[in-house]
Amino acid sequence: MSIEIANESGVEVDTDAILAVARHALDEMGVNPLAELSILLVDIDYMAELNHRWMGSNGPTDVLAFPMDEGSVDHGPGESGAGEPALLGDIVLSPEVAAKQATVAGHAAADELHLLTVHGALHLLGYDHAEPDEEREMFALQNKLLQSWRAGRKAG
């Protein structure tokens, strides 16, 4: 799996851990190993601009997901895709917004970034949380992926 990460936020973060949690989530979801993903960490002003331009919302948000090639990843574990590398898309994270949310939630900023990375990856795979049933499904899956990743880190 090819995952590119660029930190343009001006905030120091553990990009290796973000890469690892993204890879874990996509592996667990049975995504084609030839898939490509881009993760971009941006400052609060640029996140606000993206949020306004693409979502029509004012102010910065924590994570945005921009899917590229939805048709090539719409399969579950054990099902092979067409064999072609899938361009999953882009996950854009704001470490500053994540840090504020982490303080409110009572956990580390790094933990919030890991959660947001998995959240963004699930959006790229077609999950959403607009409806209560969708939200329950997506958040349960998000928590399961984070727990299995954290358990693997402790064991390793």
Side-chain angles (χ1 to χ4, degrees):
M1 184 139 343
S2 172
I3 303 175
E4 299 289 326
I5 189 165
N7 185 358
E8 298 176 4
S9 69
V11 176
E12 190 170 320
V13 298
D14 183 353
T15 54
D16 289 343
I18 292 171
L19 287 170
V21 74
R23 187 175 312 280
H24 174 80
L26 296 175
D27 285 347
E28 289 293 307
M29 294 303 294
V31 172
N32 183 332
L34 299 176
E36 298 176 19
L37 170 66
S38 170
I39 301 172
L40 179 62
L41 293 96
V42 299
D43 66 31
I44 209 160
D45 293 333
Y46 190 57
M47 184 58 104
E49 181 184 321
L50 289 173
N51 195 31
H52 180 74
R53 185 182 326 152
W54 296 104
M55 304 305 289
S57 299
N58 289 323
T61 189
D62 49 7
V63 59
L64 290 170
F66 298 101
M68 294 290 202
D69 193 6
E70 293 180 36
S72 62
V73 294
D74 192 21
H75 60 85
E79 296 178 36
S80 61
E84 295 293 317
L87 287 174
L88 293 180
D90 302 316
I91 297 172
V92 183
L93 301 168
S94 171
E96 292 168 279
V97 175
K100 289 176 186 172
Q101 290 177 176
T103 300
V104 171
H107 56 242
D111 290 336
E112 188 72 12
L113 281 170
H114 303 155
L115 180 150
L116 295 172
T117 300
V118 171
H119 189 86
L122 290 174
H123 274 308
L124 292 180
L125 296 175
Y127 288 87
D128 200 359
H129 48 85
E131 300 296 326
D133 288 348
E134 294 175 335
E135 181 176 344
R136 276 191 294 279
E137 178 186 11
M138 182 176 179
F139 283 58
L141 184 54
Q142 176 179 291
N143 290 337
K144 178 182 161 206
L145 292 168
L146 282 167
Q147 287 173 353
S148 65
W149 180 68
R150 289 177 182 139
R153 287 183 76 180
K154 287 178 184 167

